[in-house]
Amino acid sequence: RLRGRAADPAVLEEFESALIASDLGVRVVDRVMERLKKQLQGADGSQTGLVHRVLRDTLIEVLTPAQGLPLESLLANGPKPFVILVVGVNGVGKTTTIAKIAQRLVQAGKVPLLVAADTFRAAAIDQLQVWADRVGVGVIRHRHGADPAAVAFDGVAAAKARKVDVVLIDTAGRLHTKSNLMDELRKITRVIAGECPGAPHEALLVLDATVGQNALAQARQFHQAVGVTGLVLTKLDGTARGGIVVAIAEELKLPVRLIGVGESVEDLQDFDSTAFVDALIG
Amino acid sequence: SLSEKFENIFKKLRGTGVLTEQNIAEALKEVRLALLEADVNFKIVKDFIERVREKAIGQEVLKSLTPGHQVVKVVWEELREMMGRERAGLALASNPPTVVMMVGLQGAGKTTTCGKLGRYFKAQGKRVLLVAADPRRPAAGDQLSSLGHDLEIDVHRADQAQAAQADVVRICQAGVERGRDQGYDLIVLDTGGRLHIDDELMGELVAVKAAVQPQEVLLVADAMTGQDAVTMASQFEQRIGLTGVVLTKVEGDARGGAVLSIRAVTGKPIKFLGVGEKLDALELFHPDRMASRILG
Ligand SMILES: Nc1nc2c(ncn2[C@@H]2O[C@H](COP(=O)(O)OP(=O)(O)OP(=O)(O)O)[C@@H](O)[C@H]2O)c(=O)[nH]1
Ligand SMILES: Nc1nc2c(ncn2[C@@H]2O[C@H](COP(=O)(O)OP(=O)(O)OP(=O)(O)O)[C@@H](O)[C@H]2O)c(=O)[nH]1
Ligand SMILES: [Mg+2]
Ligand SMILES: [Mg+2]
């Protein structure tokens, strides 16, 4: 019977370093490498090409929960207005991602409505307004400092009245460790549901690809607070790989709907786990 | 915690005379794990472990310490060494104005930190001018103006012509010139976020630096940054040249290992910490506090 040949430890170490460098996290990497060694039993591990192929398959398999339905099919099968709540910590790209999604919808012949529910940060409403004007969509906005739940409520009410297809609600960045801010998010969610039962139909958590292990804590807390239904991974045009989504996929089974690959309004792509894995291990 | 894990590892070694390769191997494994989970870059971790191993092996186990405590002591000292002992904060030039240029990745917290620095130095009686040098991000100028308005600090914005041209070098030159002519003590340049691999935009920063010769070039970095901190920081240091670092969003629960990576590859001091969204949320860097947080 054919006996396997052990993989070259230097080759394994190289793959292991690539995965650590991509922010998969040391515990996830240890588990992935264990699975790889198991898969290689009985095989000729001295073939680097084979090791690469098995590792690729292993990672794609682990990422299965991250590969969900694209946003378009959610909308196609969802209610109208389809309410999307966008949340996440400070500076990750929520506002810019909303502009990108709105552009995509407009190009698909849909009518989105933006809701400026970040009433806290300086010029947040102005920023969303500039994007709305560029894309050619409307914005529901109150004054700076208004109650974000009230803005969200008005946004959903207006969406129903105007019979728009999609509502995109922009919220203020907030650290998941701030319980009062997470409570505010819970309130926004309750108020939206009150005005539109079942809403938000998609709660998108935006994650920055440059963030390390803390993204897992972010995902857990935001999921606990609003029931996250999808992830967006931004800034993948940089050198960070966002490998933490592997840990998030394993633990929380959350699909990555979209990825941000630049600062322009068209820099939005669907998540493809195969392409993602290829970026991790070359 | 790491100290507790060490206690368990070294319980069985009580009374042995010298720290050996063998008995510290397990402890070093725990240190490696703790640092990686804290987001310290894996190459930095490797070097760190090596230095600790060299320092620890052959050390006499002091009568007053357990072997576990001894290794912790070496780890702690090595971390402190890496964090740097320079005084934190920013010294203003004896001949005003001091020009400070803020640089960094998108969303790191540059604009907000400009506001915080303005408030910090205004409280010391200094006259501060903030310069809105990001012509690209929607409402970036409005954002800085809004902060300046709340703080009652002047903000220089590009005029119509400059804004249309989006010539960042000209905008910064005009801002510094005005700051100099009108007797400001501190001029802070708020540049737009950019990728360290964007040659054109990194070139723009090089051109600004050459044109206005700032006393300080501060890299603003997010405390939750992962392994990429090394690539990012070394590129900013190599291509632009930094004088210091500001770490933001420190009040969250990220372990902050990125600070060690950034220190290691730039060799530059951490000058300030951003510890909140409000403009008073600025602290001086505390190496000890940061070190214990990284070790977990
Ligand atoms: N390179 C790159 N930059 C991005 C991407 N997405 C967003 N950005 C930039 O990141 C910065 C922050 O984006 P915002 O949309 O303001 O982020 P935010 O989450 O709304 O920020 P807060 O509301 O302040 O929490 C801006 O400079 C954006 O242009 C991306 O995919 N790639
Ligand atoms: N929690 C927390 N948030 C911060 C801190 N510093 C900045 N922020 C937030 O981070 C987000 C991004 O801040 P900005 O000042 O717009 O970042 P920036 O680097 O100027 O972004 P770009 O110009 O797009 O590159 C905003 O929501 C800020 O309020 C901090 O110390 N703690
Ligand atoms: Mg925003
Ligand atoms: Mg800015």
Side-chain angles (χ1 to χ4, degrees):
Chain A
R1 127 179 191 279
L2 181 72
R3 286 216 59 191
R5 292 174 64 186
D8 177 358
V11 167
L12 289 181
E13 177 160 348
E14 200 153 324
F15 281 126
E16 185 173 4
S17 299
L19 294 180
I20 298 264
S22 302
D23 286 315
L24 263 77
V26 61
R27 292 190 196 278
V28 169
V29 174
D30 284 348
R31 280 205 302 280
V32 168
M33 297 310 284
E34 279 315 301
R35 274 173 76 150
L36 175 64
K37 287 180 195 140
K38 252 206 183 87
Q39 297 283 74
L40 286 175
Q41 280 174 0
D44 182 5
S46 69
Q47 304 277 350
T48 306
L50 174 73
V51 177
H52 181 273
R53 217 174 323 126
V54 175
L55 177 59
R56 187 175 184 268
D57 292 343
T58 304
L59 288 167
I60 291 171
E61 210 218 319
V62 172
L63 277 172
T64 312
Q67 187 69 66
L69 292 173
L71 201 65
E72 277 72 7
S73 36
L74 292 185
L75 300 177
N77 304 320
K80 189 169 137 160
F82 191 90
V83 180
I84 302 177
L85 180 69
V86 180
V87 303
V89 302
N90 309 74
V92 294
K94 299 177 291 300
T95 306
T96 310
T97 298
I98 286 174
K100 294 173 180 178
I101 295 174
Q103 169 85 333
R104 196 189 251 214
L105 293 172
V106 166
Q107 284 177 342
K110 298 275 182 290
V111 179
L113 177 66
L114 307 190
V115 181
D118 177 358
T119 57
F120 170 76
R121 204 209 70 210
I125 299 171
D126 302 303
Q127 184 187 7
L128 190 68
Q129 186 69 61
V130 171
W131 278 121
D133 296 344
R134 284 187 196 175
V135 175
V137 298
V139 186
I140 298 300
R141 48 185 288 179
H142 289 195
R143 35 172 300 156
H144 180 83
D147 174 9
V151 186
F153 180 92
D154 276 2
V156 176
K160 284 161 58 182
R162 300 182 197 184
K163 304 209 185 322
V164 302
D165 297 307
V166 187
V167 191
L168 290 155
I169 305 174
D170 191 16
T171 63
R174 67 202 67 218
L175 293 187
H176 53 289
T177 46
K178 304 196 173 173
S179 51
N180 58 327
L181 297 183
M182 296 308 278
D183 283 343
E184 179 183 84
L185 216 48
R186 286 184 184 91
K187 179 178 172 206
I188 291 173
T189 310
R190 275 199 309 278
V191 163
I192 296 172
E195 175 58 9
C196 180
H201 306 107
E202 174 86 334
L204 274 183
L205 171 62
V206 181
L207 298 170
D208 187 327
T210 68
V211 172
Q213 298 307 298
N214 196 250
L216 183 56
Q218 293 173 23
R220 285 180 188 138
Q221 291 304 110
F222 276 94
H223 190 39
Q224 208 278 331
V226 306
V228 174
T229 55
L231 306 173
V232 179
L233 190 60
T234 61
K235 308 182 194 173
L236 278 175
D237 46 318
T239 48
R241 290 284 150 259
I244 194 64
V245 298
V246 177
I248 298 174
E250 279 191 324
E251 182 174 319
L252 301 174
K253 316 268 183 271
L254 293 173
V256 181
R257 298 275 184 227
L258 301 158
I259 60 173
V261 293
E263 299 191 74
S264 302
V265 77
E266 63 270 2
D267 292 331
L268 188 73
Q269 295 172 6
D270 289 335
F271 177 72
D272 175 352
S273 56
T274 305
F276 185 79
V277 169
D278 287 338
L280 294 180
I281 56 175
Chain B
S1 77
L2 195 66
S3 319
E4 289 163 353
K5 290 198 188 123
F6 277 15
E7 278 317 299
N8 289 331
I9 293 168
F10 286 101
K11 255 203 196 74
K12 6 185 176 130
L13 298 180
R14 218 164 275 250
T16 53
V18 170
L19 292 176
T20 68
E21 177 88 54
Q22 213 115 352
N23 60 35
I24 65 174
E26 201 177 342
L28 291 182
K29 252 202 175 117
E30 289 297 334
V31 176
R32 174 179 177 272
L33 199 66
L35 294 178
L36 286 176
E37 287 187 321
D39 289 324
V40 181
N41 183 273
F42 75 104
K43 293 193 198 119
I44 306 297
V45 172
K46 200 156 187 257
D47 295 342
F48 181 86
I49 297 296
E50 245 354 86
R51 286 201 301 281
V52 169
R53 189 196 313 275
E54 284 179 17
K55 287 210 168 91
I57 286 179
Q59 272 197 8
E60 281 283 323
V61 179
L62 305 177
K63 294 285 182 295
S64 54
L65 292 177
T66 65
H69 278 141
Q70 189 113 356
V71 179
V72 173
K73 189 161 164 296
V74 176
V75 170
W76 191 254
E77 283 168 359
E78 192 55 33
L79 259 181
R80 289 271 242 20
E81 190 66 28
M82 282 185 77
M83 288 294 201
R85 298 165 190 286
E86 294 96 337
R87 253 206 64 203
L90 206 96
L92 297 192
S94 42
N95 292 342
T98 301
V99 180
V100 177
M101 188 177 156
M102 312 290 280
V103 302
L105 294 180
Q106 293 89 349
K110 296 175 293 299
T111 305
T112 310
T113 304
C114 287
K116 291 179 180 181
L117 286 176
R119 182 185 187 283
Y120 180 83
F121 283 101
K122 180 177 176 188
Q124 295 179 10
K126 306 293 180 196
R127 286 194 61 217
V128 184
L129 179 67
L130 304 179
V131 178
D134 178 1
R136 278 178 289 270
R137 170 173 152 157
D142 293 336
Q143 186 183 359
L144 195 67
S145 288
S146 164
L147 298 182
H149 175 266
D150 290 349
L151 295 170
E152 292 181 27
I153 288 178
D154 297 329
V155 177
H156 176 85
R157 295 185 64 161
D159 60 31
Q160 282 283 44
Q162 290 168 346
Q165 285 212 327
D167 185 339
V168 174
V169 176
R170 294 286 285 283
I171 295 169
C172 289
Q173 278 176 318
V176 172
E177 228 164 281
R178 167 186 165 184
R180 193 161 276 134
D181 294 346
Q182 297 180 359
Y184 287 91
D185 299 304
L186 174 68
I187 304 167
V188 189
L189 309 176
D190 182 24
T191 70
R194 66 205 62 216
L195 295 178
H196 47 290
I197 52 172
D198 187 326
D199 294 341
E200 184 181 347
L201 289 185
M202 292 300 274
E204 180 181 85
L205 289 181
V206 172
V208 168
K209 187 180 179 188
V212 305
Q213 316 238 330
Q215 279 83 351
E216 299 272 355
V217 180
L218 302 182
L219 174 68
V220 180
D222 193 322
M224 327 169 208
T225 309
Q227 297 288 306
D228 198 50
V230 156
T231 314
M232 180 273 292
S234 58
Q235 283 294 301
F236 272 93
E237 168 59 13
Q238 284 172 33
R239 296 203 205 196
I240 318 293
L242 308 168
T243 59
V245 180
V246 178
L247 208 64
T248 61
K249 309 173 205 173
V250 172
E251 84 278 18
D253 61 357
R255 296 264 292 277
V259 74
L260 209 60
S261 307
I262 293 172
R263 259 301 283 180
V265 298
T266 64
K268 297 291 152 57
I270 315 298
K271 304 229 167 192
F272 290 102
L273 301 177
V275 293
E277 289 156 300
K278 303 223 170 78
L279 296 174
D280 57 359
L282 189 73
E283 287 179 2
L284 296 181
F285 178 58
H286 227 288
D288 284 8
R289 261 190 245 149
M290 203 72 223
S292 67
R293 170 180 176 149
I294 290 175
L295 280 184

